[in-house]
Amino acid sequence: MTAEPLEQETSEASSHAQDREPAVNASDDFIRRLPKAELHIHIEGSFEPELMFEIARRNGVRIPYDSVEAVRAAYEFEDLQSFLDIYYQGMGVLLEERDFYDLTMAYLRRVSGDGVVHAEIFFDPQGHTERGVAFETVLNGICNALRDGERQLGITSRLIMCFLRHLDEDDALRTLDQAMPFRDRIAGVGLDSSEVGHPPRKFQRAFARAREAGFRAVAHAGEEGPPAYVEEALDLLRVARIDHGNRALESMALVRRLAAERIPLTVCPLSNLKLCVVTDLREHPLTRMLDAGLMATVNSDDPAYFGGYVLDNFVAARDALGLSAEDIVTLARNSITASWADAGRKERWLAGIDAIASEPAD
Ligand code: ADE
Ligand code: ZN
């Protein structure tokens, strides 16, 4: 991998497994053992149908499907919006603090065996408060699970509150006001939901106020939206990371900037496949990002809907793109480096990755 600027137009850069160096094989077990941070996971997107039915039953809420299998069969998406319609419907069964606790704990338990040592978790407060669920109910449930997850599973975490970009900025500002008493429990703000037609500039005031209050900032950009949205997220929202960023590759100038400023991208291969951002995982831009010296990371986005948690995303990307062991190590290191975990922990995890990477091959 090189950190030098691209020498050729990105559209010509290699994107196929067969164009790259022969891979030193990274086994599933090698990937699992590497300490990894997940930096792009919507907790409501980890809502597995089994838990959805259980919580719906205890809350007396009707689900418009007869079975877990019928729910899974409905997970055929043609774009981001077709997914979001079902995603918002799914979260509608979450009412009580205990529901948010169970949801979060289930995610942490699921990834603890996959080598996830740290998770930076998005939640969508407006998706709950607009249904009459109190902000504090959502926050308490999630935070209590994050506390227990650290004690019981050793996974550290940060919480990121996303603004829904299909709603207006005043709604985001009201949500920020609701979060102010809980500043110590929320590390940052993010921007998600329907991207095209809702550019980052729409939320400039909300992000400025959030940053003044000490929140860090990230934003989804370049998933379906154009490179200009990535630039707006950087210049107007002053984000520390870009969530997705796929379409940044359409602008050479932007690629050079992302590389020079070491802006992390939280990339989600299986999400991109399920939402038709790419038609084939072999065409996924992850290798072009790495080849361009971008700080790409691998994440699951909404694992219950897209058919895989973070380890599954690593394995699928390795298989489709021919990622080498060196690539996998770079991605794991990037996830730790780009995280907001404590500096001492980050150093220890990076040393752990290096120790595993330097073990002699069998
Ligand atoms: N909310 C949950 N998943 C999302 C995604 N992939 N893009 C935008 N908003 C989302
Ligand atoms: Zn996302």
Side-chain angles (χ1 to χ4, degrees):
M1 294 307 146
T2 170
E4 296 297 313
L6 284 178
E7 306 250 284
Q8 55 186 143
E9 287 298 324
T10 51
S11 58
E12 293 168 16
S14 74
S15 62
H16 290 90
Q18 61 267 30
D19 297 334
R20 291 168 59 78
E21 296 290 307
V24 176
N25 190 38
S27 68
D28 293 11
D29 194 50
F30 175 81
I31 303 172
R32 179 181 293 109
R33 290 172 57 225
L34 293 172
K36 294 175 289 299
E38 174 147 56
L39 307 179
H40 187 156
I41 158 77
H42 302 260
I43 201 62
E44 297 91 345
S46 72
F47 202 7
E48 294 286 352
E50 289 82 358
L51 184 60
M52 199 181 284
F53 268 92
E54 188 184 321
I55 292 179
R57 197 178 320 113
R58 78 186 182 209
N59 285 345
V61 175
R62 228 190 75 72
I63 296 182
Y65 301 97
D66 292 338
S67 64
V68 161
E69 293 71 31
V71 175
R72 286 218 166 83
Y75 293 172
E76 289 295 335
F77 311 114
E78 59 197 34
D79 56 14
L80 174 58
Q81 192 58 51
S82 62
F83 154 69
L84 290 170
D85 295 341
I86 291 206
Y87 166 82
Y88 293 123
Q89 185 184 74
M91 71 173 78
V93 307
L94 298 165
L95 298 177
E96 310 291 338
E97 187 176 309
R98 177 182 166 202
D99 305 340
F100 293 93
Y101 181 95
D102 289 350
L103 173 70
T104 308
M105 208 58 199
Y107 163 74
L108 295 171
R109 287 211 180 92
R110 174 62 187 75
V111 298
S112 72
D114 285 353
V116 173
V117 293
H118 178 80
E120 302 197 347
I121 294 181
F122 294 133
F123 74 118
D124 285 332
Q126 290 153 296
H128 311 298
T129 53
E130 70 183 3
R131 301 182 289 108
V133 180
F135 187 94
E136 202 168 352
T137 300
V138 180
L139 190 70
N140 284 344
I142 296 173
C143 288
N144 288 342
L146 296 179
R147 178 203 60 209
D148 290 353
E150 181 167 353
R151 284 187 194 150
Q152 295 170 23
L153 306 165
I155 300 178
T156 57
S157 59
R158 298 282 184 263
L159 194 54
I160 303 173
M161 173 179 91
C162 284
F163 301 123
L164 297 181
R165 67 202 302 162
H166 67 271
L167 301 178
D168 63 28
E169 189 177 39
D170 285 341
D171 211 305
L173 285 164
R174 279 192 294 276
T175 303
L176 183 58
D177 284 340
Q178 289 177 307
M180 285 300 182
F182 309 107
R183 257 171 307 191
D184 57 328
R185 292 155 74 179
I186 302 172
V189 296
L191 186 64
D192 66 359
S193 192
S194 323
E195 185 181 8
V196 174
H198 302 287
R201 64 178 174 274
K202 187 175 150 185
F203 294 92
Q204 200 171 344
R205 281 186 306 142
F207 271 68
R209 202 187 290 173
R211 282 185 291 98
E212 272 162 31
F215 294 100
R216 297 176 187 248
V218 296
H220 284 55
E223 180 183 19
E224 287 187 344
Y229 283 21
V230 176
E231 285 166 346
E232 282 185 22
L234 294 171
D235 293 332
L236 305 182
L237 306 188
R238 310 195 68 79
V239 297
R241 299 193 297 244
I242 295 289
D243 298 313
H244 294 292
N246 300 41
R247 290 195 58 195
L249 292 191
E250 293 170 25
S251 162
M252 271 293 288
L254 181 55
V255 168
R256 285 206 171 92
R257 175 181 181 187
L258 291 168
E261 296 180 16
R262 308 291 293 142
I263 306 288
L265 304 180
T266 63
V267 181
C268 307
L270 289 174
S271 163
N272 294 156
L273 184 64
K274 282 294 272 188
L275 301 189
C276 306
V277 169
V278 295
T279 50
D280 188 315
L281 219 43
R282 288 172 301 179
E283 307 292 339
H284 194 278
L286 181 62
T287 39
R288 274 172 284 155
M289 291 170 171
L290 290 173
D291 288 344
L294 301 186
M295 194 187 279
T297 64
V298 168
N299 307 271
S300 68
D301 206 4
D302 301 284
Y305 291 89
F306 301 151
Y309 286 77
V310 66
L311 178 62
D312 306 305
N313 274 270
F314 268 89
V315 167
R318 176 203 64 195
D319 292 345
L321 298 167
L323 298 182
S324 66
E326 187 195 351
D327 294 328
I328 297 289
V329 167
T330 298
L331 290 164
R333 288 187 60 91
N334 286 352
S335 77
I336 302 293
T337 304
S339 79
W340 302 336
D342 297 340
R345 282 210 175 90
K346 288 169 71 162
E347 264 176 45
R348 283 198 293 282
W349 290 324
L350 288 171
I353 292 172
D354 292 345
I356 293 170
S358 61
E359 284 172 4
D362 306 327

